[in-house]
Structure formats: structure tokens, C-alpha cells
Coordinates of all heavy atoms in Angstrom, one line a residue:
L120 N 110.8 99.1 101.9 CA 110.3 100.4 101.8 C 109.2 100.5 100.7 O 108.2 101.3 100.8 CB 111.5 101.3 101.4 CG 112.4 101.7 102.6 CD1 113.7 102.4 102.1 CD2 111.6 102.6 103.6
L121 N 109.4 99.8 99.6 CA 108.5 99.9 98.5 C 107.1 99.2 99.0 O 106.0 99.7 98.7 CB 109.0 99.1 97.3 CG 110.1 99.8 96.5 CD1 110.6 98.9 95.4 CD2 109.5 101.1 95.8
I122 N 107.2 98.1 99.7 CA 106.0 97.4 100.2 C 105.2 98.4 101.1 O 104.0 98.5 101.0 CB 106.4 96.1 100.9 CG1 106.9 95.1 99.9 CG2 105.1 95.5 101.6 CD1 107.4 93.9 100.5
G123 N 106.0 99.0 102.0 CA 105.3 99.9 103.0 C 104.6 101.1 102.2 O 103.5 101.5 102.6
L124 N 105.4 101.7 101.3 CA 104.9 102.8 100.5 C 103.7 102.4 99.7 O 102.7 103.2 99.7 CB 106.0 103.3 99.6 CG 105.7 104.6 98.8 CD1 105.6 105.8 99.8 CD2 106.8 104.8 97.8
A125 N 103.7 101.2 99.2 CA 102.6 100.8 98.4 C 101.3 100.6 99.2 O 100.2 101.0 98.8 CB 103.0 99.4 97.6
M126 N 101.5 100.0 100.4 CA 100.3 99.8 101.3 C 99.8 101.0 101.8 O 98.6 101.3 101.8 CB 100.8 98.9 102.4 CG 100.8 97.4 102.1 SD 101.0 96.4 103.6 CE 101.1 94.7 102.8
L127 N 100.7 102.0 102.2 CA 100.2 103.3 102.8 C 99.5 104.1 101.8 O 98.4 104.5 102.0 CB 101.5 104.0 103.4 CG 101.2 105.3 104.1 CD1 100.2 105.2 105.2 CD2 102.5 106.0 104.5
L128 N 100.2 104.3 100.6 CA 99.6 105.1 99.6 C 98.4 104.5 99.0 O 97.4 105.1 98.6 CB 100.6 105.5 98.5 CG 101.8 106.3 98.9 CD1 102.7 106.6 97.8 CD2 101.2 107.7 99.6
G129 N 98.5 103.1 98.9 CA 97.3 102.4 98.3 C 96.1 102.6 99.2 O 95.0 102.8 98.7
S130 N 96.2 102.5 100.5 CA 95.1 102.7 101.4 C 94.6 104.1 101.4 O 93.3 104.3 101.3 CB 95.6 102.4 102.8 OG 94.6 102.6 103.7
L131 N 95.4 105.1 101.3 CA 95.0 106.5 101.2 C 94.3 106.7 99.8 O 93.2 107.4 99.8 CB 96.2 107.4 101.4 CG 96.8 107.4 102.7 CD1 98.0 108.3 102.7 CD2 95.8 107.9 103.8
G132 N 94.8 106.1 98.7 CA 94.2 106.3 97.4 C 92.9 105.7 97.4 O 92.0 106.2 96.7
G133 N 92.8 104.5 97.9 CA 91.5 103.8 97.9 C 90.4 104.6 98.6 O 89.2 104.7 98.1
R134 N 90.7 105.2 99.8 CA 89.8 106.0 100.5 C 89.4 107.3 99.7 O 88.2 107.7 99.7 CB 90.4 106.4 101.9 CG 90.6 105.3 102.9 CD 91.2 105.8 104.1 NE 91.5 104.7 105.1 CZ 92.1 104.8 106.2 NH1 92.4 106.1 106.6 NH2 92.4 103.8 107.0
A135 N 90.4 107.9 99.1 CA 90.1 109.1 98.3 C 89.2 108.7 97.1 O 88.2 109.5 96.9 CB 91.4 109.7 97.7
F136 N 89.4 107.7 96.4 CA 88.5 107.3 95.4 C 87.2 106.9 95.8 O 86.2 107.2 95.1 CB 89.2 106.1 94.5 CG 90.1 106.6 93.4 CD1 91.3 107.2 93.8 CD2 89.8 106.5 92.1 CE1 92.2 107.7 92.8 CE2 90.7 106.9 91.1 CZ 91.9 107.5 91.5
H137 N 87.1 106.3 97.0 CA 85.8 105.9 97.5 C 84.9 107.1 97.9 O 83.7 107.1 97.6 CB 86.0 105.0 98.8 CG 84.7 104.5 99.4 ND1 84.0 103.5 98.8 CD2 84.1 104.8 100.6 CE1 83.0 103.2 99.6 NE2 83.0 104.0 100.7
R138 N 85.6 108.2 98.4 CA 84.8 109.4 98.6 C 84.2 110.0 97.3 O 83.3 110.7 97.4 CB 85.7 110.4 99.4 CG 86.0 110.0 100.8 CD 86.9 111.0 101.5 NE 87.2 110.6 102.8 CZ 87.8 111.4 103.7 NH1 88.4 112.5 103.3 NH2 88.1 111.0 105.0
L139 N 84.9 109.7 96.2 CA 84.4 110.2 94.9 C 83.5 109.2 94.3 O 83.1 109.4 93.2 CB 85.6 110.4 94.0 CG 86.7 111.4 94.3 CD1 87.9 111.4 93.4 CD2 86.0 112.8 94.4
R140 N 83.0 108.3 95.1 CA 82.1 107.2 94.6 C 82.6 106.3 93.5 O 82.0 106.0 92.6 CB 80.7 107.8 94.2 CG 80.0 108.5 95.4 CD 78.7 108.9 95.1 NE 78.0 109.6 96.2 CZ 77.3 108.9 97.1 NH1 77.3 107.6 97.1 NH2 76.7 109.5 98.1
I141 N 84.0 106.2 93.5 CA 84.6 105.3 92.6 C 85.2 104.1 93.4 O 85.7 104.3 94.5 CB 85.9 106.0 91.9 CG1 85.3 107.3 91.1 CG2 86.6 105.1 91.0 CD1 86.4 108.2 90.6
P142 N 85.1 102.9 92.9 CA 85.6 101.7 93.6 C 87.0 101.9 94.1 O 87.9 102.4 93.4 CB 85.4 100.5 92.7 CG 84.3 101.0 91.7 CD 84.5 102.5 91.6
K143 N 87.3 101.5 95.3 CA 88.6 101.5 95.9 C 89.7 100.9 95.0 O 90.8 101.3 94.9 CB 88.7 100.9 97.3 CG 87.9 101.7 98.4 CD 88.1 101.0 99.7 CE 87.3 101.8 100.9 NZ 87.4 101.1 102.2
V144 N 89.3 99.8 94.3 CA 90.3 99.0 93.6 C 90.9 99.9 92.4 O 92.1 99.8 92.2 CB 89.7 97.8 93.0 CG1 88.5 98.1 92.0 CG2 90.7 96.9 92.3
V145 N 90.1 100.9 92.0 CA 90.7 101.8 91.0 C 91.7 102.7 91.6 O 92.7 103.0 91.0 CB 89.5 102.6 90.3 CG1 90.0 103.6 89.3 CG2 88.4 101.7 89.7
G146 N 91.4 103.1 92.8 CA 92.4 103.9 93.5 C 93.7 103.2 93.8 O 94.8 103.7 93.6
Y147 N 93.6 101.9 94.2 CA 94.8 101.1 94.4 C 95.7 101.0 93.1 O 96.8 101.2 93.2 CB 94.4 99.7 94.9 CG 93.6 99.6 96.1 CD1 92.6 98.5 96.3 CD2 93.6 100.6 97.1 CE1 91.9 98.4 97.4 CE2 92.8 100.4 98.3 CZ 92.0 99.4 98.4 OH 91.2 99.3 99.5
M148 N 95.0 100.8 92.0 CA 95.7 100.6 90.7 C 96.3 101.9 90.3 O 97.4 102.0 89.8 CB 94.9 100.0 89.7 CG 94.6 98.5 90.0 SD 93.8 97.6 88.6 CE 92.1 98.2 88.7
A149 N 95.6 103.0 90.6 CA 96.1 104.4 90.2 C 97.4 104.7 91.1 O 98.4 105.2 90.5 CB 95.0 105.4 90.4
V150 N 97.4 104.3 92.3 CA 98.5 104.5 93.1 C 99.7 103.6 92.6 O 100.8 104.1 92.6 CB 98.2 104.2 94.6 CG1 99.5 104.1 95.4 CG2 97.3 105.3 95.1
G151 N 99.3 102.4 92.3 CA 100.4 101.5 91.6 C 101.0 102.1 90.4 O 102.3 102.1 90.3
L152 N 100.2 102.7 89.6 CA 100.8 103.3 88.3 C 101.6 104.5 88.7 O 102.7 104.7 88.1 CB 99.6 103.8 87.5 CG 99.9 104.5 86.2 CD1 100.6 103.5 85.2 CD2 98.7 105.0 85.4
F153 N 101.2 105.3 89.7 CA 102.0 106.4 90.1 C 103.3 106.0 90.8 O 104.4 106.5 90.5 CB 101.2 107.3 91.1 CG 101.9 108.4 91.7 CD1 102.2 109.6 90.9 CD2 102.4 108.4 93.0 CE1 102.9 110.7 91.5 CE2 103.1 109.5 93.6 CZ 103.4 110.6 92.8
V154 N 103.3 105.1 91.8 CA 104.4 104.7 92.5 C 105.4 103.9 91.6 O 106.6 104.0 91.7 CB 104.0 103.9 93.8 CG1 105.2 103.3 94.5 CG2 103.2 104.7 94.8

């Protein structure tokens, strides 16, 4: 469940940050901090 949640939210977070012109990797780590 944690792996699935991490991948799903990580993907969504990466896309959201990318739209803000911030590298996706920052979004992945931000989601990790949250989750």
C-alpha cells in the first residue's frame, strides 16, 4: 500500500511541480516528505 501510494502521489506531485516550472524531482521528494 505504501509503495502504491508513493508511486501514485509521486507521479501526481511531479506533474504538478513540472507545471510550475519546477523540476519533477522536487515534487517527488516533497510528496515523500508529506507521505
Side-chain angles (χ1 to χ4, degrees):
L120 283 170
L121 286 173
I122 293 173
L124 185 68
M126 283 191 179
L127 179 60
L128 294 181
S130 178
L131 295 174
R134 291 179 186 178
F136 274 68
H137 183 69
R138 289 182 178 179
L139 298 173
R140 298 187 179 276
I141 300 174
K143 288 182 180 180
V144 64
V145 179
Y147 301 153
M148 289 190 284
V150 166
L152 181 64
F153 175 75
V154 175

